[in-house]
Amino acid sequence: MTQADKQYEFSEFSGEFVDDDVTVILRIYRSAGTYLDWTLEVLDEEGNTTVWNDTFVTDREAFEEFLATVRRNGIHTFSDQPVQRLH
């Protein structure tokens, strides 16, 4: 199975997030039909992506980590560096 063929389950926490006039797309997902940990990914307005190296046991933990990162570093942290991996 290629990466393009793989199906994902997206968390209800996924979607647009707006702060300080910056919009990002928040993706929290895992392989469909599994109980694997959740991956956290943020896409900025230019389509650049930030992916956390660590996965999360629950989608809520992933969402809380995203919020903590925004509080700590600001929403601009996702658009200041084109592609990055966190943690």
Side-chain angles (χ1 to χ4, degrees), residues 18-66:
V18 181
D19 185 44
D20 197 23
D21 292 326
V22 174
T23 301
V24 297
I25 303 298
L26 177 61
R27 292 183 179 170
I28 300 173
Y29 59 91
R30 65 182 174 189
S31 294
T34 71
Y35 292 101
L36 296 175
D37 289 350
W38 296 87
T39 297
L40 174 56
E41 178 180 19
V42 177
L43 284 84
D44 71 11
E45 294 170 322
E46 302 294 319
N48 298 312
T49 185
T50 301
V51 179
W52 275 249
N53 289 326
D54 296 334
T55 55
F56 301 87
V57 175
T58 68
D59 57 342
R60 179 172 293 281
E61 287 176 5
F63 183 65
E64 289 173 358
E65 174 59 27
F66 167 74

